[in-house]
Amino acid sequence: MLWLAPPAIFDRMDDKNEMNALLNLIDDPDREIYEAVSNRIISYGPPVIPTLEHLWETTADSVVQERIELLIHRLYFSGLLADFNEWNNAGHHELMPALLLITKFLYPEMQAAKVLHNVERLRRNIWLELNNYLTPLEQVNIINSIIYNYIGIKGTTNNTERPNEYLLPKILESKKGNQTGLGSLYLLLVEMLDIPIRLMRVPHQFVLGYCKPGLGSTSGNYEVDFFIEPSLGQVFTHNDLRHYLSKIAVENKPEYLKPRSNLEVICQIITDFRECFNNDQQQVQYEELSELIRLLCS
C-alpha cells in the first residue's frame, strides 16, 4: 500500500519525497530498518504529527497503527522535553507551568485555560476567607475546608494503576487525587497565596510542613510548626513524625525538616508518577520519564 504525505506539511519537494519513502517503510518487519525510519521521522519534529495522524486514520493494519501511536508519542515527548528544559533554565521554577507540562505527558493536547480558571477560582475562594489575624493552623483549616469540603475533592492513596490521580487537571476534573497529586495542588495554591507551606523530606511520603517565615534561608535552621498529609488535609505534630519514622525503622534526621525547592517538588512528582509505567508494556514511557528526571534532577 502506498502512503503519501500531504504536500502542505513540507516546504521542499525533497522533504516530501523522503517522507513518502519513510511512510512506506513504517511497517517494515526488520527491526533495525524500522528504528532507522522512526528516528528519521522524529527528526522532522512535531509538524509531522498531522501526517502521521492521517496515516493512522487511513490504515486498518493494527501493527502499523501501534507504531504510528508510538511515533506520535515520541514526537510529543521531544517537544515536552524542550519545554521542560526551557522551564528549568528560566530559573523561576513556578509550579503551575511545570504541573501542566507533566499532564501533557499523557494528554499532549490539553488546553490550559480551563485549568487556570479552576485553580484561580480555588485560590480566590481561599483568599476571601483569609486575614492577617489568623494563626497558621487556622489558615490551614480554611484551605482544607475549601479543597475537601466546598470543592469536594477526595483523597486516595498513591496507586500506580490510576495515573490521572497524579495530574492537576484530572484531579480538578474528577475531584479525586492521591497524596502526590493533591500535594501538588496544595503547594500550588499556597504558592499563589504566599503561605509558607513547603514539601518536606520525609521518607516515602509526600508530606507538607508549615514553615515559619524568615527562617532557614541563610542560617540553615528550619522551624516547622506542624505537618500536613495532603490526601486528607490531616495535620500532625513533630511527635507524630517521630512515631512514624520509628515505625518504619528510619532514623530521625534534621534534614527531614529542610523544605524542598520547587524544582525538587517537580522531580518528586515525576518520580512518583513514573511508577505508573514500571511494567513490561510501558517501558518506553518509563524511560522517557527517567530521561526527564535526569534533565531536571541531576
Side-chain angles (χ1 to χ4, degrees):
M1 181 177 181
L2 182 64
W3 292 304
L4 298 177
I9 298 296
F10 303 98
D11 295 330
R12 297 186 307 157
M13 183 60 69
D14 288 347
D15 289 342
K16 178 188 172 185
N17 290 338
E18 181 184 34
M19 182 53 65
N20 286 334
L22 292 169
L23 293 178
N24 282 288
L25 290 171
I26 204 170
D27 59 349
D28 196 292
D30 188 302
R31 193 69 188 176
E32 290 187 7
I33 293 176
Y34 167 67
E35 286 297 328
V37 168
S38 297
N39 291 335
R40 182 57 183 154
I41 291 174
I42 288 169
S43 71
Y44 277 91
V48 81
I49 289 174
T51 300
L52 292 171
E53 290 175 337
H54 175 73
L55 175 56
W56 187 94
E57 293 170 355
T58 55
T59 180
D61 191 321
S62 61
V63 173
V64 172
Q65 286 183 329
E66 288 179 8
R67 290 184 170 187
I68 293 169
E69 289 168 4
L70 183 57
L71 281 171
I72 291 172
H73 177 79
R74 288 177 63 186
L75 282 161
Y76 275 125
F77 180 72
S78 67
L80 185 66
L81 207 60
D83 289 341
F84 259 114
N85 192 47
E86 183 178 347
W87 175 84
N88 191 27
N89 291 336
H92 307 302
H93 293 157
E94 294 179 356
L95 289 176
M96 177 67 89
L99 293 175
L100 293 176
L101 287 176
I102 293 172
T103 301
K104 286 193 171 187
F105 182 78
L106 284 186
Y107 301 95
E109 297 181 347
M110 179 217 44
Q111 299 299 312
K114 184 178 180 180
V115 184
L116 296 172
H117 171 77
N118 288 335
V119 171
E120 172 56 24
R121 182 166 64 97
L122 259 175
R123 183 208 66 82
R124 182 170 176 79
N125 285 336
I126 296 169
W127 176 77
L128 288 171
E129 300 294 327
L130 296 175
N131 63 64
N132 294 331
Y133 304 103
L134 296 174
T135 66
L137 185 57
E138 287 171 336
Q139 290 179 332
V140 167
N141 285 339
I142 287 172
I143 296 171
N144 290 350
S145 177
I146 297 295
I147 292 177
Y148 307 106
N149 298 328
Y150 180 70
I151 301 298
I153 297 179
K154 304 298 182 185
T156 67
T157 57
N158 285 18
N159 187 326
T160 57
E161 294 183 359
R162 299 195 296 263
N164 281 353
E165 293 179 7
Y166 291 84
L167 305 176
L168 174 65
K170 294 300 178 180
I171 292 169
L172 295 171
E173 181 182 302
S174 68
K175 292 185 168 50
K176 186 181 294 185
N178 59 31
Q179 187 185 67
T180 300
L182 272 176
S184 68
L185 172 61
Y186 213 107
L187 288 170
L188 174 62
L189 291 169
V190 297
E191 178 180 78
M192 297 170 73
L193 293 161
D194 198 26
I195 295 174
I197 294 174
R198 305 287 184 265
L199 177 64
M200 309 311 292
R201 301 174 187 271
V202 177
H204 315 305
Q205 297 288 334
F206 200 94
V207 166
L208 315 181
Y210 194 107
C211 304
K212 287 188 176 178
L215 295 177
S217 58
T218 57
S219 66
N221 297 317
Y222 294 83
E223 188 167 351
V224 181
D225 268 7
F226 52 82
F227 305 92
I228 306 158
E229 194 289 299
S231 67
L232 298 173
Q234 182 177 356
V235 172
F236 61 97
T237 66
H238 286 263
N239 282 337
D240 294 326
L241 175 61
R242 284 191 287 269
H243 177 73
Y244 165 73
L245 294 173
S246 175
K247 187 175 180 180
I248 64 172
V250 171
E251 181 185 356
N252 188 4
K253 298 179 180 179
E255 68 188 62
Y256 297 156
L257 302 184
K258 181 180 179 182
R260 296 193 184 200
S261 68
N262 278 0
L263 177 59
E264 291 173 311
V265 168
I266 295 303
C267 288
Q268 187 61 57
I269 294 169
I270 297 172
T271 299
D272 293 348
F273 178 57
R274 179 180 60 173
E275 288 306 303
C276 296
F277 309 96
N278 192 8
N279 55 66
D280 293 338
Q281 292 75 38
Q282 296 175 295
Q283 279 301 298
V284 170
Q285 290 90 335
Y286 185 89
E287 290 304 322
E288 286 175 339
L289 290 169
S290 298
E291 183 180 354
L292 187 51
I293 291 169
R294 289 191 294 272
L295 171 70
L296 298 175
C297 315
S298 58

